[in-house]
Amino acid sequence: MADIMNLLSICRRAGKLTLGMDEVKGTVRSGKAYIVLVTKDLAERSKNEITRICEEYETPLYEIPESMYDVGTSLGKVYGIMSVTDAGFAKAAKKRLTSTSPK
């Protein structure tokens, strides 16, 4: 799914992509995250933790079909958790992904 990685790359260059567990939790708690994205190979414990936070703050959670390695290749750093902090980018990403939460 090259187009989701292209979108995330553009989103990162625009400064609207947050990477890493602690940073993403901060954007969710502050209400700045429109969606949270996790890679297909994220550790189950981390996935459970971010799922609980997203449910608590009613933030949609999506799984991307890429691995952390793929994210690293595309974005320059290996991460398994990301949040999009722009409504337009979030809407575009939602069109390309399948939700893992009922939001």
Side-chain angles (χ1 to χ4, degrees):
M1 266 216 146
D3 55 305
I4 189 62
M5 292 313 302
N6 290 337
L7 177 69
L8 293 178
S9 181
I10 293 167
C11 188
R12 182 168 188 209
R13 285 193 302 268
K16 301 298 182 182
L17 186 67
T18 305
L19 303 165
M21 176 67 87
D22 292 335
E23 290 79 7
V24 169
K25 287 192 311 189
T27 62
V28 171
R29 289 180 176 140
S30 69
K32 294 179 182 176
Y34 286 90
I35 61 171
V36 172
L37 307 170
V38 296
T39 58
K40 66 181 181 182
D41 60 344
L42 183 66
E44 200 62 36
R45 182 177 176 193
S46 296
K47 197 175 286 188
N48 290 339
E49 182 178 349
I50 199 65
T51 298
R52 280 192 311 273
I53 292 167
C54 286
E55 287 173 353
E56 180 181 345
Y57 288 88
E58 299 180 354
T59 304
L61 176 66
Y62 290 79
E63 182 175 291
I64 63 173
E66 281 75 16
S67 67
M68 285 188 269
Y69 175 80
D70 297 330
V71 169
T73 301
S74 182
L75 301 180
K77 285 205 169 193
V78 177
Y79 285 101
I81 301 172
M82 300 154 277
S83 66
V84 176
T85 59
D86 177 83
F89 284 124
K91 184 177 179 182
K94 285 179 184 180
K95 289 181 181 179
R96 295 167 171 80
L97 300 169
T98 303
S99 179
T100 61
S101 68
K103 312 295 181 277

